[in-house]
Short mmCIF file of all heavy atoms in Angstrom, two decimals:
data_model
loop_
_atom_site.label_atom_id
_atom_site.label_comp_id
_atom_site.label_asym_id
_atom_site.label_seq_id
_atom_site.Cartn_x
_atom_site.Cartn_y
_atom_site.Cartn_z
N PRO N 1464 0.53 32.37 -37.81
CA PRO N 1464 -0.65 32.13 -36.96
C PRO N 1464 -0.86 30.64 -36.73
O PRO N 1464 -0.54 29.80 -37.57
CB PRO N 1464 -1.79 32.77 -37.74
CG PRO N 1464 -1.33 32.79 -39.17
CD PRO N 1464 0.15 32.96 -39.13
N GLY N 1465 -1.41 30.32 -35.55
CA GLY N 1465 -1.68 28.94 -35.19
C GLY N 1465 -0.97 28.57 -33.88
O GLY N 1465 -0.56 29.43 -33.10
N LEU N 1466 -0.81 27.22 -33.67
CA LEU N 1466 -0.17 26.71 -32.46
C LEU N 1466 1.34 26.63 -32.69
O LEU N 1466 1.80 26.06 -33.68
CB LEU N 1466 -0.72 25.33 -32.12
CG LEU N 1466 -0.22 24.70 -30.82
CD1 LEU N 1466 -0.64 25.57 -29.62
CD2 LEU N 1466 -0.77 23.28 -30.68
N THR N 1467 2.09 27.18 -31.78
CA THR N 1467 3.55 27.24 -31.89
C THR N 1467 4.15 26.60 -30.63
O THR N 1467 3.69 26.87 -29.52
CB THR N 1467 4.05 28.69 -32.03
OG1 THR N 1467 3.43 29.27 -33.18
CG2 THR N 1467 5.55 28.74 -32.16
N VAL N 1468 5.19 25.78 -30.84
CA VAL N 1468 5.87 25.11 -29.74
C VAL N 1468 7.23 25.75 -29.56
O VAL N 1468 7.99 25.91 -30.52
CB VAL N 1468 6.02 23.59 -30.00
CG1 VAL N 1468 6.74 22.93 -28.85
CG2 VAL N 1468 4.66 22.95 -30.24
N ILE N 1469 7.51 26.13 -28.35
CA ILE N 1469 8.79 26.73 -28.02
C ILE N 1469 9.40 25.96 -26.85
O ILE N 1469 8.74 25.11 -26.24
CB ILE N 1469 8.65 28.22 -27.64
CG1 ILE N 1469 7.76 28.38 -26.39
CG2 ILE N 1469 8.11 29.03 -28.81
CD1 ILE N 1469 7.68 29.80 -25.89
N ARG N 1470 10.65 26.21 -26.54
CA ARG N 1470 11.30 25.57 -25.41
C ARG N 1470 10.73 26.16 -24.12
O ARG N 1470 10.56 27.37 -24.02
CB ARG N 1470 12.79 25.79 -25.46
CG ARG N 1470 13.48 25.09 -26.62
CD ARG N 1470 14.98 25.35 -26.57
NE ARG N 1470 15.64 24.72 -27.71
CZ ARG N 1470 16.96 24.76 -27.91
NH1 ARG N 1470 17.73 25.42 -27.04
NH2 ARG N 1470 17.49 24.15 -28.96
N PRO N 1471 10.48 25.31 -23.18
CA PRO N 1471 9.94 25.86 -21.92
C PRO N 1471 10.96 26.66 -21.13
O PRO N 1471 10.58 27.50 -20.32
CB PRO N 1471 9.50 24.60 -21.16
CG PRO N 1471 10.33 23.51 -21.71
CD PRO N 1471 10.59 23.83 -23.14
N VAL N 1472 12.19 26.43 -21.37
CA VAL N 1472 13.25 27.13 -20.64
C VAL N 1472 14.13 27.87 -21.64
O VAL N 1472 14.65 27.26 -22.58
CB VAL N 1472 14.11 26.15 -19.81
CG1 VAL N 1472 15.20 26.92 -19.07
CG2 VAL N 1472 13.25 25.38 -18.84
N GLY N 1473 14.24 29.17 -21.49
CA GLY N 1473 15.15 29.97 -22.34
C GLY N 1473 14.47 30.64 -23.51
O GLY N 1473 15.06 31.54 -24.12
N ASP N 1474 13.27 30.24 -23.89
CA ASP N 1474 12.57 30.85 -25.03
C ASP N 1474 11.44 31.75 -24.53
O ASP N 1474 10.75 31.44 -23.54
CB ASP N 1474 12.01 29.77 -25.96
CG ASP N 1474 13.10 29.10 -26.78
OD1 ASP N 1474 14.28 29.52 -26.64
OD2 ASP N 1474 12.80 28.15 -27.51
N ARG N 1475 11.26 32.86 -25.27
CA ARG N 1475 10.16 33.77 -24.97
C ARG N 1475 9.53 34.21 -26.29
O ARG N 1475 10.23 34.60 -27.22
CB ARG N 1475 10.65 34.98 -24.19
CG ARG N 1475 9.55 35.99 -23.82
CD ARG N 1475 10.14 37.08 -22.92
NE ARG N 1475 11.18 37.81 -23.61
CZ ARG N 1475 10.96 38.90 -24.38
NH1 ARG N 1475 9.72 39.32 -24.58
NH2 ARG N 1475 11.98 39.50 -24.94
N LEU N 1476 8.21 34.12 -26.37
CA LEU N 1476 7.48 34.48 -27.59
C LEU N 1476 6.86 35.88 -27.41
O LEU N 1476 6.17 36.13 -26.43
CB LEU N 1476 6.38 33.45 -27.87
CG LEU N 1476 5.50 33.74 -29.08
CD1 LEU N 1476 6.30 33.66 -30.38
CD2 LEU N 1476 4.31 32.78 -29.15
N GLN N 1477 7.16 36.75 -28.39
CA GLN N 1477 6.57 38.09 -28.40
C GLN N 1477 5.74 38.24 -29.67
O GLN N 1477 6.24 38.00 -30.77
CB GLN N 1477 7.64 39.18 -28.32
CG GLN N 1477 7.05 40.59 -28.24
CD GLN N 1477 8.11 41.63 -27.97
OE1 GLN N 1477 9.28 41.28 -27.69
NE2 GLN N 1477 7.74 42.89 -28.02
N LYS N 1478 4.51 38.63 -29.48
CA LYS N 1478 3.59 38.78 -30.60
C LYS N 1478 3.57 40.24 -31.07
O LYS N 1478 3.60 41.17 -30.26
CB LYS N 1478 2.19 38.34 -30.20
CG LYS N 1478 2.11 36.91 -29.70
CD LYS N 1478 0.72 36.60 -29.22
CE LYS N 1478 0.65 35.18 -28.63
NZ LYS N 1478 -0.70 34.87 -28.12
N VAL N 1479 3.50 40.41 -32.40
CA VAL N 1479 3.47 41.75 -33.01
C VAL N 1479 2.21 41.83 -33.86
O VAL N 1479 1.96 40.96 -34.71
CB VAL N 1479 4.72 42.02 -33.88
CG1 VAL N 1479 4.64 43.40 -34.51
CG2 VAL N 1479 5.97 41.88 -33.05
N ASN N 1480 1.42 42.89 -33.64
CA ASN N 1480 0.18 43.09 -34.39
C ASN N 1480 0.51 43.63 -35.78
O ASN N 1480 1.23 44.62 -35.94
CB ASN N 1480 -0.72 44.08 -33.65
CG ASN N 1480 -2.14 44.10 -34.19
OD1 ASN N 1480 -2.39 43.71 -35.31
ND2 ASN N 1480 -3.07 44.54 -33.36
N MET N 1481 -0.01 42.96 -36.80
CA MET N 1481 0.24 43.35 -38.19
C MET N 1481 -0.92 44.11 -38.82
O MET N 1481 -0.89 44.39 -40.02
CB MET N 1481 0.53 42.09 -39.02
CG MET N 1481 1.65 41.23 -38.48
SD MET N 1481 3.25 42.08 -38.47
CE MET N 1481 3.56 42.20 -40.22
N GLN N 1482 -1.91 44.47 -38.04
CA GLN N 1482 -3.05 45.20 -38.58
C GLN N 1482 -2.68 46.67 -38.83
O GLN N 1482 -1.72 47.20 -38.28
CB GLN N 1482 -4.23 45.13 -37.61
CG GLN N 1482 -4.85 43.76 -37.48
CD GLN N 1482 -5.96 43.76 -36.46
OE1 GLN N 1482 -5.85 44.38 -35.41
NE2 GLN N 1482 -7.03 43.04 -36.75
N ILE N 1483 -3.52 47.32 -39.67
CA ILE N 1483 -3.34 48.76 -39.92
C ILE N 1483 -3.87 49.53 -38.71
O ILE N 1483 -5.00 49.31 -38.26
CB ILE N 1483 -4.08 49.19 -41.21
CG1 ILE N 1483 -3.43 48.51 -42.42
CG2 ILE N 1483 -4.05 50.70 -41.37
CD1 ILE N 1483 -4.11 48.84 -43.73
N VAL N 1484 -3.07 50.44 -38.23
CA VAL N 1484 -3.40 51.24 -37.04
C VAL N 1484 -3.77 52.64 -37.49
O VAL N 1484 -3.04 53.26 -38.29
CB VAL N 1484 -2.23 51.27 -36.06
CG1 VAL N 1484 -2.60 52.09 -34.82
CG2 VAL N 1484 -1.82 49.86 -35.67
N ALA N 1485 -4.90 53.13 -37.02
CA ALA N 1485 -5.34 54.51 -37.29
C ALA N 1485 -5.01 55.36 -36.07
O ALA N 1485 -5.57 55.15 -34.99
CB ALA N 1485 -6.83 54.56 -37.59
N MET N 1486 -4.11 56.29 -36.26
CA MET N 1486 -3.65 57.13 -35.14
C MET N 1486 -4.02 58.59 -35.43
O MET N 1486 -3.72 59.12 -36.51
CB MET N 1486 -2.14 57.00 -34.96
CG MET N 1486 -1.57 57.93 -33.89
SD MET N 1486 0.22 57.78 -33.79
CE MET N 1486 0.37 56.09 -33.21
N ALA N 1487 -4.68 59.23 -34.49
CA ALA N 1487 -5.05 60.64 -34.62
C ALA N 1487 -3.86 61.51 -34.21
O ALA N 1487 -3.26 61.32 -33.15
CB ALA N 1487 -6.27 60.96 -33.76
N VAL N 1488 -3.54 62.47 -35.07
CA VAL N 1488 -2.46 63.42 -34.78
C VAL N 1488 -3.07 64.64 -34.11
O VAL N 1488 -4.02 65.23 -34.63
CB VAL N 1488 -1.73 63.81 -36.08
CG1 VAL N 1488 -0.60 64.77 -35.77
CG2 VAL N 1488 -1.22 62.59 -36.79
N PRO N 1489 -2.58 65.04 -32.95
CA PRO N 1489 -3.15 66.23 -32.29
C PRO N 1489 -3.02 67.47 -33.16
O PRO N 1489 -2.13 67.57 -34.03
CB PRO N 1489 -2.31 66.35 -31.00
CG PRO N 1489 -1.75 65.00 -30.78
CD PRO N 1489 -1.55 64.40 -32.12
N ALA N 1490 -3.93 68.42 -32.96
CA ALA N 1490 -3.93 69.65 -33.75
C ALA N 1490 -2.65 70.43 -33.52
O ALA N 1490 -2.25 70.66 -32.38
CB ALA N 1490 -5.15 70.50 -33.40
N GLN N 1491 -2.03 70.83 -34.61
CA GLN N 1491 -0.78 71.58 -34.56
C GLN N 1491 -1.03 72.98 -35.11
O GLN N 1491 -1.65 73.16 -36.15
CB GLN N 1491 0.30 70.88 -35.40
CG GLN N 1491 0.58 69.45 -34.98
CD GLN N 1491 1.14 69.36 -33.59
OE1 GLN N 1491 2.01 70.14 -33.19
NE2 GLN N 1491 0.64 68.41 -32.81
N GLU N 1492 -0.53 73.98 -34.40
CA GLU N 1492 -0.69 75.37 -34.80
C GLU N 1492 0.62 75.87 -35.41
O GLU N 1492 1.70 75.65 -34.85
CB GLU N 1492 -1.07 76.24 -33.60
CG GLU N 1492 -1.38 77.69 -33.97
CD GLU N 1492 -1.93 78.45 -32.79
OE1 GLU N 1492 -2.11 77.84 -31.72
OE2 GLU N 1492 -2.16 79.67 -32.93
N GLY N 1493 0.51 76.49 -36.57
CA GLY N 1493 1.70 76.98 -37.26
C GLY N 1493 1.37 78.14 -38.16
O GLY N 1493 0.20 78.54 -38.31
N ILE N 1494 2.40 78.69 -38.78
CA ILE N 1494 2.28 79.83 -39.70
C ILE N 1494 2.63 79.35 -41.09
O ILE N 1494 3.68 78.75 -41.31
CB ILE N 1494 3.20 80.98 -39.27
CG1 ILE N 1494 2.85 81.45 -37.86
CG2 ILE N 1494 3.09 82.15 -40.24
CD1 ILE N 1494 3.75 82.54 -37.33
N THR N 1495 1.74 79.59 -42.03
CA THR N 1495 1.95 79.16 -43.41
C THR N 1495 3.00 80.04 -44.09
O THR N 1495 3.51 81.00 -43.52
CB THR N 1495 0.63 79.20 -44.17
OG1 THR N 1495 0.14 80.54 -44.17
CG2 THR N 1495 -0.40 78.30 -43.52
N ARG N 1496 3.27 79.70 -45.33
CA ARG N 1496 4.29 80.45 -46.07
C ARG N 1496 3.83 81.88 -46.38
O ARG N 1496 4.67 82.77 -46.53
CB ARG N 1496 4.62 79.71 -47.37
CG ARG N 1496 5.83 80.24 -48.11
CD ARG N 1496 6.29 79.29 -49.18
NE ARG N 1496 5.23 79.05 -50.16
CZ ARG N 1496 5.36 78.21 -51.19
NH1 ARG N 1496 6.49 77.53 -51.35
NH2 ARG N 1496 4.37 78.03 -52.04
#
Side-chain angles (χ1 to χ4, degrees):
L1466 185 62
T1467 302
V1468 179
I1469 61 175
R1470 293 181 182 181
V1472 179
D1474 286 357
R1475 181 175 62 88
L1476 177 66
Q1477 184 172 352
K1478 302 175 184 178
V1479 180
N1480 193 338
M1481 305 298 291
Q1482 292 177 320
I1483 295 178
V1484 181
M1486 176 183 294
V1488 181
Q1491 302 296 317
E1492 186 172 357
I1494 300 177
T1495 60
R1496 191 167 59 182

